Amino acid sequence: MSLLVVGLSHRSAPVSVLERAALSADAQVKLVQDTVAAEPATEAAVLATCNRIELYADVDKFHAGVAELSTLLAQHSGVGLEELTPYLYVHYEDRAVHHLFSVACGLDSMVVGEGQILGQIKDSLARAQELHTAGKLLNDLFQQALRVGKRAHSETGIDRAGQSLVTFGLEQLAAGGDVLGWAAGRRALVIGAGSMSSLAAATLARAGVTEVVVANRTFERAERLARILTEGDDTDVTARAVPMDAVPGELTRADVVVSCTGATGLVLTAEAVAQAVEDRTGRPAEDEGDDSGSGTAVAALPPTSAGTEENCPLDLAAVQGSTGFSVAGEAAVAGMDAATLEQHAAWVDNGTLDRRARRTPEADAELITALAATVATVGRIPERRRPAPVPEIPRPAPALFLLDLAMPRDIDAAVHRLAGVRLVDIESLAEASADVPMAADVDQVRRIVSDEVAAFGAAQRAAHITPTVVALRTMAADVVAGEIARLDGRLPDLDERQRGEIRQAVHRVVDKLLHAPTVRVKQLAAEPGGAGYADALRTLFDLDPETVAAVSRAEDSTDKKDRPA
């Protein structure tokens, strides 16, 4: 059997695709269960974070395994296989081990060196163990990955190369300034009570916010997090819990909002944020380019650099219109948010869309119908072109800071266009992290990863031949026992001391004959390409395959029994 990983991450796919492919907790459980139920795989584990989805499996066939794992990822993510495939990466055997070890060390993270991934790997292993989908290979692999990640953080300065996604996000909210100075005296609202939200709440408390309000769908979890913050020795922050329906009111009071929930829909709409800003400041959260006096919270996008319909996915004149599509309905059909729809509208109109013009519901309905018809014809809307740079318009100082760490997003992306609001989300974090310099310690971590991959591969290959060696020694012991029994029948007059001397002599001869070959075959099997030595040993000594398999099953059973829960 061989290790295979199929996945996508912020390095291979745009955030829009990652957002649509995000797996709920229930979907992750079903995915690993369906994977081990499939023919090529015997073990499976899924590593799903805010910027990666990876499926690990022990497979007996490479091509069949890749096809099956890719299909299962598409089915459970809800993104079509044809659309998902260009963003998938595949790692096999040693390359798969190297990939996971790099992930565990934070080398593959959006913020290089962040340590939160270790907790996520631990959770992934615990879930697979609970579902009984992790066997010896994945247990050994994930536990070793955790050890490698801890070694990288303890032996190098990789922590200086980056920080947690939460800290990096807060730094972006502070516009690169000192988070401690920026957060001091502010009030924070944290939506969600999971691991990421808890880390955000603790970070804000240490940064000096005066109050943390925790909102969660399960009120007891919000209360527990608020109690932990209040009782902490390193802060004197005031913390309290509120139900989710209290969020609109708390949004008006808060200066900083961090949201990270498992919701599949938006938690905060642009309208709700705009209303909160208006309630706080007494003026609408308008786009600074809007001089129409209409007070509309979300202004239209600026024109694109189109000017030609080359490669445009839409042909409004050729599309037969129909009715019944709402904005939300079209977003579900085309996988687009409102901002993307507006961008395409500008593209189709050859860049003539007036950014001050207010689109009517009827016009939106026509656009939505055309987009939906195009989706039905070509399968999906291609990536839009980037708009031409527009002059920077001075914006007022933000009255509300929003950090969205959820995947899929919790906060409407249209909030980016609201004056008086600063929103940092996974997409903007990905862009910002591309410019973060990597520390010299990263090279040292890479050397650690390479060494650990080689050691893990050698240990796995050596372990592969161990059942064969045990079976060989068992066969030799059986031969010795048989010959001693025959000797007892032929020489019944021997006393017990003489029989013991003969028995020890025969055992010593057999042990000396087998010692050098078995030690050497283990050394050879640990080298790359050494898997064939086990087969050679079985052939040379005519070992029963079932005996070898029985030893393997016994070792697996002992391993599971001795493994901590």
Side-chain angles (χ1 to χ4, degrees):
M1 304 297 283
S2 301
L3 178 66
L4 174 67
V5 57
V6 177
L8 67 160
S9 73
H10 65 100
R11 294 185 182 275
S12 69
V15 172
S16 59
V17 174
L18 280 173
E19 185 177 39
R20 293 169 54 205
L23 297 171
S24 66
D26 290 342
Q28 293 176 41
V29 170
K30 193 68 168 63
L31 175 57
V32 294
Q33 289 175 333
D34 288 354
T35 301
V36 295
E39 183 178 342
T42 58
E43 302 180 34
V46 62
L47 177 59
T49 71
C50 58
N51 52 35
R52 78 177 61 252
I53 303 165
E54 296 177 342
L55 181 56
Y56 291 79
D58 188 4
V59 300
D60 57 3
K61 299 174 184 176
F62 172 73
H63 293 291
V66 171
E68 188 65 32
L69 267 59
S70 301
T71 300
L72 288 169
L73 271 176
Q75 288 176 351
H76 289 277
S77 68
V79 180
L81 181 59
E82 184 177 348
E83 182 179 359
L84 192 64
T85 298
Y87 305 115
L88 294 177
Y89 47 77
V90 175
H91 298 299
Y92 190 55
E93 294 186 331
D94 284 353
R95 289 301 308 169
V97 176
H98 188 281
H99 175 74
L100 181 59
F101 287 4
S102 298
V103 168
C105 293
L107 293 180
D108 199 56
S109 295
M110 188 179 293
V111 182
V112 174
E114 61 95 7
Q116 190 178 7
I117 187 64
L118 286 173
Q120 293 162 331
I121 292 174
K122 184 178 180 180
D123 291 343
S124 176
L125 175 60
R127 185 187 307 109
Q129 289 174 337
E130 182 180 347
L131 296 171
H132 305 291
T133 62
K136 181 173 176 53
L137 176 60
L138 291 188
N139 270 291
D140 290 349
L141 174 70
F142 275 67
Q143 288 173 356
Q144 186 62 25
L146 292 171
R147 286 189 284 268
V148 174
K150 292 175 183 177
R151 179 189 170 192
H153 283 280
S154 64
E155 295 183 12
T156 74
I158 189 67
D159 292 326
R160 296 192 297 268
Q163 61 271 83
S164 75
L165 202 59
V166 169
T167 306
F168 188 62
L170 293 177
E171 287 184 354
Q172 297 304 304
L173 282 184
D178 178 34
V179 174
L180 292 177
W182 168 81
R186 297 185 187 272
R187 295 186 298 269
L189 169 63
V190 176
I191 305 175
S195 58
M196 187 78 81
S197 300
S198 299
L199 177 60
T203 303
L204 286 167
R206 288 193 296 269
V209 296
T210 58
E211 180 186 44
V212 176
V213 178
V214 183
N216 193 59
R217 296 190 187 281
T218 305
F219 184 68
E220 290 74 16
R221 295 189 66 184
E223 282 188 312
R224 179 176 178 274
L225 177 54
R227 185 169 59 255
I228 291 173
L229 293 172
T230 303
E231 296 173 354
D233 296 331
D234 55 346
T235 69
D236 55 359
V237 69
T238 300
R240 57 187 174 89
V242 297
M244 286 295 288
D245 57 13
V247 165
E250 296 296 339
L251 194 61
T252 302
R253 299 180 65 254
D255 302 301
V256 184
V257 179
V258 179
S259 187
C260 186
T261 73
T264 55
L266 293 177
V267 174
L268 294 179
T269 64
E271 290 75 13
V273 174
Q275 185 61 54
V277 173
E278 183 173 354
D279 291 343
R280 290 187 56 151
T281 63
R283 61 179 183 275
E286 297 178 348
D287 186 300
E288 286 299 295
D290 177 24
D291 57 5
S292 66
S294 65
T296 303
V298 183
L301 286 175
T304 68
S305 59
T308 174
E309 293 189 5
E310 180 184 0
N311 296 325
C312 180
L314 303 179
D315 183 358
L316 293 179
V319 175
Q320 298 297 320
S322 61
T323 59
F325 286 92
S326 66
V327 172
E330 153 45 349
V333 173
M336 294 182 177
D337 53 23
T340 307
L341 296 181
E342 291 179 4
Q343 191 75 21
H344 275 289
W347 190 2
V348 172
D349 290 343
N350 292 323
T352 60
L353 183 65
D354 185 357
R355 69 190 300 263
R356 295 178 175 82
R358 295 292 175 253
R359 297 188 61 85
T360 65
E362 292 77 14
D364 281 338
E366 291 177 3
L367 172 62
I368 291 160
T369 300
L371 286 171
T374 302
V375 171
T377 302
V378 302
R380 66 185 180 93
I381 302 295
E383 291 286 334
R384 67 177 185 269
R385 285 183 286 177
R386 223 175 249 283
V390 295
E392 286 290 332
I393 301 174
R395 296 172 63 91
L400 184 61
F401 297 85
L402 304 172
L403 177 58
D404 184 359
L405 298 174
M407 183 67 70
R409 73 182 75 219
D410 278 348
I411 303 175
D412 191 344
V415 170
H416 279 295
R417 305 201 306 274
L418 293 178
V421 180
R422 179 175 296 157
L423 169 62
V424 173
D425 53 20
I426 293 295
E427 193 162 13
S428 53
L429 283 174
E431 294 175 358
S433 65
D435 299 326
V436 176
M438 296 173 65
D441 300 276
V442 169
D443 289 335
Q444 185 178 351
V445 174
R446 286 175 174 156
R447 289 192 292 271
I448 289 175
V449 169
S450 297
D451 292 343
E452 292 285 356
V453 169
F456 183 83
Q460 289 295 307
R461 288 186 291 269
H464 178 70
I465 203 170
T466 298
T468 303
V469 172
V470 171
L472 173 61
R473 289 191 172 276
T474 300
M475 184 192 74
D478 291 342
V479 170
V480 170
E483 292 302 316
I484 293 295
R486 286 183 59 208
L487 185 63
D488 288 342
R490 291 186 175 187
L491 301 173
D493 296 332
L494 292 176
D495 59 34
E496 191 57 36
R497 185 186 64 80
Q498 293 171 325
R499 293 178 189 280
E501 287 290 339
I502 294 173
R503 188 179 298 108
Q504 287 183 4
V506 175
H507 276 295
R508 281 195 297 268
V509 170
V510 172
D511 287 342
K512 287 182 178 180
L513 286 175
L514 291 181
H515 176 73
T518 53
V519 170
R520 184 57 179 151
V521 79
K522 286 183 177 180
Q523 294 172 342
L524 293 171
E527 297 175 0
Y533 285 99
D535 295 332
L537 207 59
R538 287 192 294 269
T539 301
L540 287 171
F541 289 91
D542 195 22
L543 297 176
D544 183 4
E546 180 55 34
T547 303
V548 177
V551 174
S552 298
R553 289 194 294 269
E555 287 188 345
D556 287 346
S557 176
T558 302
D559 180 68
K560 292 177 182 177
K561 185 184 302 182
D562 295 339
R563 187 179 301 130

